[in-house]
Amino acid sequence: MWWQIPDDFAQLPVDERTAWVEWQVGRAVSAEAGACRLVVGKSLGSLASGIAADRGIAAAWLTPLLTFDHVVRALRRAQPSTLLVGGTADKLWDAEVAASLHHDVLEVPSADHGLELPGDAVGSAEVLRQVVSRLDHFVGSLGRA
């Protein structure tokens, strides 16, 4: 799905931003009438991690907001397969929290919030390869679970 973030989004309190993201994602998942088996989200999308957890949907979260209590609480209760991907140079990634969640984790040394290695285009392309490979393996494992 693609969304247009409201102009004043950054000024909204976290709970209102979370509610907006949850409404967007919840509406998209509901439109699938029970056929949604996987949610993949980047950063802001992880505010809807509660939707995936509550509906028992597997999820892959790229650079999830692990410094937001709401996201961490949702990820703690997520039972289906969950993949977390983040970089150690991302201020919104918390390696200790990621490890404590007991989900599949790909942590990329020195990668920033864009999953890039600043000043290293070749290294950033390798990070992209790693992420796509892990996503491919993760999605493939869902059929075997």
Side-chain angles (χ1 to χ4, degrees), residues 47-128:
L47 290 176
S49 53
I51 298 288
D54 294 343
R55 297 187 188 195
I57 301 170
W61 302 110
L62 308 177
T63 66
L65 306 177
L66 296 184
T67 59
F68 284 56
D69 290 338
H70 170 81
V71 172
V72 174
R73 282 193 310 271
L75 291 172
R76 287 202 192 291
R77 68 179 190 271
Q79 292 303 310
S81 297
T82 301
L83 170 64
L84 307 174
V85 178
T88 60
D90 180 357
K91 292 177 175 40
L92 299 171
W93 176 261
D94 186 319
E96 289 182 21
V97 168
S100 76
L101 294 170
H102 305 291
H103 293 306
D104 189 9
V105 175
L106 171 59
E107 184 174 81
V108 183
S110 303
D112 62 17
H113 192 67
L115 291 172
E116 296 178 326
L117 304 175
D120 184 357
V122 173
S124 294
E126 174 56 24
V127 169
L128 177 60

